[in-house]
Amino acid sequence: MTEPAFLTTTRASYDAFADEYAAHFQDELAAKPIDRAVLAGFAELVTAEGGGPVADVGCGTGRVTEHLHALGVDVFGIDLSPGMLAEARRHYPDLRFEEGSMLDLDLPDGGLGGLLAWYSTIHVPDEQLPQVFAEFYRVLAPGGHLLLGFQAGEEVVRRTDAWGRDIELDFIRRRPEQMAELLVTAGLTMKARTVREIDEESAFPEPTPQAFLLARKPR
């Protein structure tokens, strides 16, 4: 079966700049205390429900996977890009990283205590999001938690260059209420919504608000 075009272009784009991406963003979380607080809350909730396992879907170079691991979470990473996974395995050889697509996760029904999608749904077209969230619901155990991170807004930004490499990536910004509605439609229960406002003064400036949604699969 032919895969959706966005998967092909997303994979190729991240493969093209995986090494530059890994070097640039390696210490990003150290400069973002609010992001760390959101991840810490997610880790604590997952631990309280039994501890996992947790899938970091769209894990990229594995830096957030490793952060959750350091918080005591039984976590592994899944990503579309072999190039990004190679960086993850190089930097964090003791963690597990697998190649896969969030449209069709190679995971059993109800097997996860938690699922993190940290800026990994931002390239998924609107029409594919219900399928993605249905997959997230399927693989979560009853009581399992889901955390999403994404840019808030209503526009699509296309990038064709990164670190001097030719790429083709659409960054789709979405309203938190839109994403929350889709999660509820998929069967999840909303637990928290956080928006970090524009921050142009940090070491990693953000020109748009950043949204974090926490949801839970009912028991």
Side-chain angles (χ1 to χ4, degrees), residues 132-143:
V132 168
F133 291 158
E135 272 293 273
F136 290 176
Y137 178 90
R138 179 185 68 80
V139 299
L140 277 172

Side-chain angles (χ1 to χ4, degrees), residues 28 43 45 48 65 80 86 109 160 175 182 190 205:
E28 183 192 30
L45 288 167
T65 320
L80 186 67
D109 295 356
T160 58
R175 293 177 291 108
L182 288 170
M190 289 302 305

Side-chain angles (χ1 to χ4, degrees), residues 19 56 66 93 115 131 141 153 158 164-166 169 173 194 211 215:
D19 52 349
D56 179 3
E66 194 280 333
L115 190 151
Q131 180 180 347
R158 171 158 290 192
R165 310 294 179 90
D166 292 332
L169 281 178
R173 298 166 180 167
T194 302

